[in-house]
Amino acid sequence: ALAAPLRATDAGATPLPDTALGCYRENTASPLLTSYATSATLNSPRLCGLLARAAGYQFFAVRGSSCQVSNSAQSTLTALGTSTTCTAACAGDSAAKCGARTPPVSFNLYRVGA
């Protein structure tokens, strides 16, 4: 079972040292992200970051209900920068963004902190 608090805004939530890297989409010729967990009601950057950190991954991304992970460098991802495509609210934290649900499929990418 997943433990609360899952949102960074929850009372008592300890800030995590993860770094937001921006809105990205995968290079379809060489995908880097692996689906790690899915939750239609709980997914958030905080939850995905906790799961990625516990499993030893260096990067994680959120899109809709999907938490994706990778140990590869972000340099092979296509940057979307400040594109408006990563605007979908996360189910587990409506104040956080969980990528885009419509093409181009985009993820909010993070580097796991120490």
Side-chain angles (χ1 to χ4, degrees):
L2 300 173
L6 300 176
R7 296 174 296 187
T9 55
D10 283 346
T14 303
L16 298 176
D18 303 325
T19 303
L21 299 175
C23 181
Y24 288 82
R25 64 179 165 181
E26 281 209 73
N27 176 344
T28 54
S30 178
L32 292 177
L33 300 170
T34 303
S35 184
Y36 187 72
T38 3
S39 174
T41 57
L42 298 175
N43 196 37
S44 70
R46 181 174 179 77
L47 174 60
C48 191
L50 290 168
L51 294 172
R53 181 176 292 98
Y57 286 98
Q58 295 176 17
F59 298 93
F60 67 93
V62 290
R63 182 187 61 83
S65 61
S66 178
C67 170
Q68 311 237 347
V69 294
S70 174
N71 278 323
S72 300
Q74 76 197 59
S75 60
T76 57
L77 295 174
T78 303
L80 295 178
T82 57
S83 171
T84 58
T85 60
C86 286
T87 58
C90 299
D93 184 353
S94 60
K97 300 300 177 207
C98 275
R101 295 185 175 125
T102 56
V105 175
S106 303
F107 302 87
N108 287 86
L109 183 69
Y110 296 81
R111 180 187 309 276
V112 174

